Amino acid sequence: MDKKTILAFALSFVVLVGWSLFFSPNPKQTPLQKDIAPVNTQSMPNGENSPASIIVPPSPGSTTQLPGVHMEEKQIEINTPFYKAVFSNVGPTIKSFKLKKYRQTTNPDSPFVELVTLEEGMGDYLTVQFDDNAGGSNMVFEVDKDSLTLQPGSEPATIAFHGIGQNGIDITQTYRFFPDRYGIDLAITAINPTTAPVNGVFRTTLRTIPPNEKGSYYAYVGFALLLDDKLDEIKVEDPGEEESARGNIGWVAYEDNYFISAVVPDIPAKGAFTGKRLSSGVLEGVFLPTPVSLQPSGQATNQYQLYLGPRELGTLQKFGKNLDRAINFGWTDIIAKPLLYILRFFDQYLHNYGVSIILLTILVKILFWPLTHKSYKSMKEMQKLQPRMAKLREKYKGDKQKLNQEMMGLYKTYKVNPMGGCLPMVVQIPVFFALFRVLGACIELRHAPFMLWINDLSAPDRLFHFSFDIPFMTPPYGIPVLTLLMGGSMFIQQKMTPAPGDPAQAKIMMFLPVIFTFMFINFPSGLVLYWLVNNLLSIGQQYRIYKKPA
């Protein structure tokens, strides 16, 4: 019975992980919605349908500019301690956004991580515009600065873009940059100096090229938004595919394994979001809040915060606006986030995430020590009954009902619970999967060194890189030392566990360490380290129980 329990959970783990890696279902996709009809917000004094839009008279002394004035594209470079960005006055839009605290590889001289992955002719990465259907998406703005550099401790600074649309609408976009954060404030004001009403909408467009690899079981890759105070993930995979959602939107974003680009209205706005994959392979997301109607001499202002940076829980919580909810560990979220907090707490003092993982594994093992102790003790008692159980199986092999009755009598006589080795393991399964998600997805482990040859806990461990291919292994090719040690520890555990009476089960159990070794060969080394340490602790606990006199 004890061996069957272990086999059942081992095979369940294989099925769950394999299914999650290769056949995981798409996130919930909301049916396509039609564009929202224009609304004249000037007739609503309280702005009930457009909380982020403000209709006020034009400010005194505001200047206007005749449309059609020729201006060339100008690129403005912004340097802060956190990023180096290049803005264009056409749109305006972001041409480049490099994160100074993150490199593309573990080489300290490798380039900074670039969030703008679009190539020439693929459109703009991020634009937030007042769209009045006059074809002003490539509108050229005047800009008040040629460059901007912020040093640590300096005051925030602004860059203002100003232009006139084809309908005569006066548009100003003001970006406010900070030296101590990734967040950027943005205010867009549209003024109607004409004598006719103009309908329009504050359109947000986000385009990117998704990574070659699909989103893994560890982390979601694609568009996400906070819809009606709930996280909604909209995934589009095939060219031409389109999915939409409508409701009260707190933020819209594109996220990959480790980084996120988000547009956050100052106040959650009712509207629609549409995500689609273009024929070029580019992902495009469009956020349309409630349209506005600019009456003559009227103006509307929308305010946003932009976040372009790491999917790091502490940083997103500091940013606010519930953007930290973009980090979601699925059904294990309620357990996974506290474990991530503990892991970060350990690293504050140890300054080594590898050692922090070991300490976290020990802590989890201590918390579950009474349960695992009970499980191993029950398995030991079951081992003593194996000879008697074998005799009963032989005696009543043709009468299954009588065999079950005799088995239950045997358990009652010797006060053994056949489920004693199973139930404690069931309790630990959610914690294991939570750790599985955390150690596979958290950006804290990205390029985090441990010791010796392990210089990236988010990547598979490889000792001595080879130039030739190795079956079942993803590049780079090398010796997966941690994975082999983990497989060896599983083999030792199996040898210490009572052998099953069924020869077929015994053969399957012999192959389990090999199966797990091949499964883990491409897993992040941080996850393999956890499993190895957990196995070693379990071996010690088993040895202590099995060698203890009855």
Side-chain angles (χ1 to χ4, degrees), residues 251-262:
W251 49 259
V252 298
Y254 171 80
E255 54 182 328
D256 60 24
N257 286 331
Y258 297 113
F259 303 99
I260 182 173
S261 302

Side-chain angles (χ1 to χ4, degrees), residues 119-332:
E119 299 175 2
E120 194 68 29
M122 288 186 172
D124 297 327
Y125 169 65
L126 174 63
T127 56
V128 186
Q129 305 163 322
F130 180 77
D131 185 357
D132 58 1
N133 296 319
S137 58
N138 292 321
M139 182 175 165
V140 181
F141 287 73
E142 287 185 336
V143 60
D144 64 349
K145 290 184 179 69
D146 294 328
S147 64
L148 179 64
T149 300
L150 297 179
Q151 302 294 341
S154 61
E155 292 295 319
T158 61
I159 292 180
F161 296 86
H162 178 255
I164 302 293
Q166 293 185 16
N167 278 350
I169 301 300
D170 185 301
I171 301 173
T172 300
Q173 294 196 17
T174 303
Y175 293 83
R176 185 176 181 85
F177 302 92
F178 301 86
D180 58 349
R181 68 190 75 167
Y182 291 99
I184 302 171
D185 290 348
L186 169 61
I188 305 178
T189 299
I191 302 175
N192 181 13
T194 70
T195 58
V198 174
N199 295 323
V201 63
F202 289 93
R203 174 190 296 269
T204 296
T205 305
L206 180 61
R207 296 187 184 95
T208 188
I209 299 178
N212 292 330
E213 67 274 8
K214 294 182 179 180
S216 65
Y217 176 73
Y218 311 120
Y220 169 73
V221 174
F223 290 119
L225 58 151
L226 191 65
L227 180 67
D228 296 328
D229 203 35
K230 295 179 181 179
L231 178 67
D232 192 18
E233 295 171 343
I234 295 184
K235 193 170 186 178
V236 285
E237 295 183 344
D238 301 323
E241 185 179 357
E242 182 176 312
E243 298 294 338
S244 295
R246 180 194 294 190
N248 205 43
I249 297 177
W251 49 259
V252 298
Y254 171 80
E255 54 182 328
D256 60 24
N257 286 331
Y258 297 113
F259 303 99
I260 182 173
S261 302
V263 179
V264 186
D266 191 53
I267 301 174
K270 291 182 179 179
F273 178 85
T274 301
K276 60 183 176 180
R277 184 182 287 267
L278 307 180
S279 58
S280 61
V282 172
L283 287 178
E284 179 184 83
V286 178
F287 167 44
L288 297 174
T290 304
V292 297
S293 178
L294 291 177
Q295 298 301 314
S297 300
Q299 80 175 42
T301 298
N302 264 22
Q303 296 182 347
Y304 303 87
Q305 287 179 281
L306 311 180
Y307 179 90
L308 300 97
R311 288 180 69 247
E312 198 271 324
L313 188 58
T315 304
L316 294 180
Q317 286 180 329
K318 188 176 179 181
F319 178 85
K321 303 289 186 179
N322 289 318
L323 191 56
D324 60 296
R325 291 171 66 177
I327 300 179
N328 182 270
F329 297 104
W331 62 274
T332 67

Side-chain angles (χ1 to χ4, degrees), residues 101-107 110-111 113 258-259 353 442-450 454-459:
K101 296 183 181 295
Y102 297 91
R103 301 273 180 177
Q104 293 182 12
T105 69
T106 54
N107 186 337
S110 67
V113 167
Y258 297 113
F259 303 99
Y353 270 105
C442 67
I443 193 173
E444 286 83 355
L445 299 188
R446 183 182 183 271
H447 296 174
F450 174 37
I454 303 176
N455 59 359
D456 185 358
L457 286 167
S458 69

